[in-house]
């Protein structure tokens, strides 16, 4: 967690005044433990909030200005809270601006302007939801200070809408939902189609979650993501020969899919659909494994998830595969997989606490030898969703 005294000093250096009236909020990053590329197919995901994320210091102004600054970026500006517009040159500032825009659309009239200072601990481009963290903490803080109801499911939807419409990124609901609704030592079983969710205890005992950042920026994601979505839609069209009312792949179990998969003409499209249906089944099996305190089974399902994403869905890439292959060689590792959209970004591994140092050293070295890139590692705990700290 950030040093709040140091951040308050930066806030005062930037905006003047003293500590009087400064409120502090925090929203986490998130990691998806299993259930990848299932969300837009009407299936389950199983994300968890992390203990590190975005800290926001905020204070009311005397006028209707909106001051935006970050410890992570050199650019800052003040604009009118009444009139926010998307501007590509504003980069990260478009995320809080999008939230202000959505709150306007919700009919909220701001009683004052605000000064905001963000401090992010989530690496950009790693796929750990830095944008969702900024959006959710902004919405929660502004609603709190305007004395509006704090419904974290609604806040997640508002943040997703902001990213979809104001920022033009067609993300699903998982990131914002996990950031807004996480709970310490629990992961979230979320049905993306209906937003029905359940907090599932994640009792990892002597095992730690380690996130490995490949530091391969995810350049191909948008085009390949849209291609995978359209392939899944084509699979549904062809499966309607057997199931005329089918709308989403997530409506089928493995048995139903296997009985009808011959209707999918193209082998690649068939593979994409097979991954989705089997991945949803892996999510449900993983919940059962956790309830039985069977971490070995959970780790095996993580491995199965990655192998399917590599072989059937083809979204891993050389860097993620190199990191996962290296991780699985280390003693004390129960499972390792890519997490996020793929083509770079991060892996998540379940590692015995006695093996953590060896894991970071060995995987880092093998990954460097295989790719020429230097990896970063984060030993994680599962934390709370968005909250007010002060």
């Amino acid at each position: 967690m950030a040093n709040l005294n140091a951040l308050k000093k930066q806030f005062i250096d930037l905006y003047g005044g003293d500590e009087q009236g400064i409120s502090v909020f925090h929203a986490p990053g998130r990691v998806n433990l299993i259930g990848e590329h299932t969300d837009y197919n009407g299936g389950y995901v199983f994300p968890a909030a992390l203990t590190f994320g975005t800290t926001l210091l905020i204070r009311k102004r005397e006028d209707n200005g909106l001051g935006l600054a970050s410890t992570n970026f050199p650019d800052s500006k003040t604009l009118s809270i009444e009139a926010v517009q998307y501007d590509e040159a504003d980069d990260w500032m478009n995320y809080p601006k999008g939230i202000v825009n959505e709150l306007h659309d919700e009919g909220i009239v701001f009683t004052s302007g605000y000064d905001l200072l963000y401090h992010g601990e989530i690496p950009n481009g790693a796929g750990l939801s830095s944008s969702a963290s900024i959006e959710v903490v902004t919405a929660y803080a502004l609603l709190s200070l305007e004395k509006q109801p704090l419904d974290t499911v609604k806040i997640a939807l508002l943040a997703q809408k902001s990213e979809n419409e104001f920022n033009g990124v067609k993300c699903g609901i998982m990131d914002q939902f996990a950031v807004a609704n996480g709970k310490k030592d629990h992961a979230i079983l979320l049905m993306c189609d209906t937003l029905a969710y359940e907090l599932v205890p994640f009792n990892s005992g002597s095992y730690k979650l380690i996130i490995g950042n490949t530091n391969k920026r995810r350049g191909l994601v948008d085009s390949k993501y849209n291609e995978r979505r359209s392939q899944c839609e084509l699979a549904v069209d062809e499966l309607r020969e057997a199931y005329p009312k089918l709308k989403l792949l997530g409506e089928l179990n493995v048995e139903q899919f296997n009985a009808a998969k011959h209707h999918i003409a193209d082998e690649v499209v068939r593979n994409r659909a097979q991954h989705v249906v089997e991945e949803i089944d892996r999510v449900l099996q993983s919940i059962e494994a956790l309830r039985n305190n069977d971490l070995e089974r959970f780790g095996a399902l993580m491995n199965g998830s990655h192998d399917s994403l590599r072989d059937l869905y083809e979204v891993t890439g050389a860097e993620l595969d190199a990191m996962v292959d290296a991780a699985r060689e280390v003693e004390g590792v129960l499972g390792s997989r890519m997490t996020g959209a793929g083509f770079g970004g991060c892996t998540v591994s379940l590692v015995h606490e006695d093996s953590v140092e060896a894991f970071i050293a060995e995987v880092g070295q093998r990954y460097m030898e295989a790719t020429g890139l230097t990896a970063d590692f984060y030993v994680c705990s599962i934390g709370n969703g968005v909250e007010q700290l002060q």
Side-chain angles (χ1 to χ4, degrees):
M1 194 64 78
N3 181 330
L4 294 186
N5 288 332
L7 285 177
K8 284 178 181 175
K9 183 178 182 307
Q10 281 182 269
F11 187 97
I12 291 161
D13 288 347
L14 191 65
Y15 294 120
D18 54 29
E19 289 191 14
Q20 193 73 27
I22 299 176
S23 298
V24 184
F25 295 84
H26 182 265
R30 72 92 189 96
V31 62
N32 192 27
L33 298 175
I34 193 166
E36 222 65 75
H37 288 279
T38 52
D39 52 351
Y40 51 85
N41 286 295
Y44 287 100
V45 290
F46 195 51
L50 300 169
T51 48
F52 59 88
T54 306
T55 303
L56 170 61
L57 281 69
I58 180 170
R59 185 177 65 192
K60 290 195 171 199
R61 292 171 61 111
E62 298 294 315
D63 59 15
N64 69 347
L66 180 67
L68 297 173
S70 168
T71 62
N72 306 91
F73 300 97
D75 46 338
S76 62
K77 67 165 39 177
T78 302
L79 51 142
S80 168
I81 202 166
E82 304 299 332
V84 291
Q85 291 183 319
Y86 181 85
D87 183 345
E88 193 174 345
D90 284 346
D91 193 35
W92 68 272
M93 288 182 269
N94 287 306
Y95 294 119
K97 281 175 15 181
I99 292 299
V100 170
N101 182 67
E102 284 306 318
L103 292 174
H104 283 317
D105 287 353
E106 292 282 311
I108 288 171
V109 178
F110 291 100
T111 55
S112 73
Y114 290 92
D115 286 325
L116 297 89
L117 175 64
Y118 295 87
H119 174 70
E121 299 167 314
I122 306 169
N124 284 328
L128 300 176
S129 295
S130 54
S131 59
S133 187
I134 292 171
E135 289 158 352
V136 168
V137 78
T138 306
Y140 191 91
L142 288 171
L143 288 167
S144 295
L145 295 178
E146 290 292 338
K147 299 187 167 41
Q148 297 287 332
L150 294 172
D151 179 329
T152 49
V153 173
K154 283 187 178 171
I155 286 171
L157 287 165
L158 183 139
Q160 182 202 15
K161 187 161 176 265
S162 166
E163 187 146 351
N164 289 172
E165 296 181 7
F166 190 86
N167 283 282
V169 179
K170 301 299 180 194
C171 63
I173 188 64
M174 176 178 71
D175 295 354
Q176 289 83 359
F177 199 94
V179 169
N181 296 285
K183 184 182 176 187
K184 185 175 168 23
D185 298 330
H186 289 69
I188 304 172
L189 177 63
L190 172 65
M191 170 53 88
C192 292
D193 210 28
T194 62
L195 296 192
Y197 75 102
E198 181 183 345
L199 293 166
V200 179
F202 191 80
N203 300 316
S204 58
S206 54
Y207 285 83
K208 299 285 186 187
L209 289 170
I210 301 183
I211 293 174
N213 185 356
T214 63
N215 285 313
K216 165 78 161 68
R217 291 296 292 239
R218 300 173 306 139
L220 287 170
V221 173
D222 290 342
S223 61
K224 295 292 185 183
Y225 179 87
N226 291 336
E227 180 185 85
R228 295 298 180 278
R229 286 192 77 145
S230 61
Q231 288 168 332
C232 291
E233 288 161 9
L234 175 58
V236 168
D237 286 344
E238 296 186 339
L239 287 167
R240 286 200 190 106
E241 289 277 330
Y243 306 108
K245 293 183 177 176
L246 188 69
K247 291 189 182 69
L248 294 161
L249 286 171
E251 296 166 25
L252 298 179
N253 62 33
V254 174
E255 202 176 343
Q256 290 168 320
F257 174 75
N258 286 336
K261 65 183 180 184
H262 61 277
H263 290 292
I264 303 173
D266 185 278
E267 184 185 4
V268 172
V269 174
R270 198 180 317 129
N271 286 344
R272 304 296 189 247
Q274 182 179 332
H275 162 75
V276 171
V277 174
E278 291 179 349
E279 182 79 347
I280 293 166
D281 187 60
R282 273 188 288 272
V283 175
L284 296 173
Q285 287 186 59
S286 72
I287 306 302
E288 190 181 343
L290 287 177
R291 290 194 174 124
N292 294 328
N293 289 315
D294 188 348
L295 287 177
E296 288 195 10
R297 176 85 183 122
F298 188 85
L301 290 161
M302 290 173 73
N303 288 338
S305 170
H306 182 86
D307 295 350
S308 178
L309 288 157
R310 180 191 64 210
D311 300 335
L312 297 177
Y313 220 67
E314 296 182 272
V315 290
T316 58
E319 292 81 10
L320 285 165
D321 289 339
M323 187 172 279
V324 164
D325 290 347
R328 292 181 187 175
E329 293 290 315
V330 178
E331 192 177 343
V333 174
L334 293 183
S336 184
R337 63 182 290 275
M338 62 157 267
T339 182
F343 302 110
C346 289
T347 64
V348 59
S349 305
L350 193 57
V351 184
H352 194 276
E353 60 190 9
D354 294 343
S355 301
V356 167
E357 285 183 27
F359 179 95
I360 291 170
E362 291 176 30
V363 176
Q365 184 180 345
R366 286 182 184 168
Y367 178 71
M368 163 72 88
E369 289 168 357
T371 65
L373 294 170
T374 302
D376 291 314
F377 296 96
Y378 314 93
V379 182
C380 297
S381 301
I382 294 177
N384 286 319
V386 67
E387 58 190 337
Q388 182 167 0
L389 301 180
Q390 289 183 7

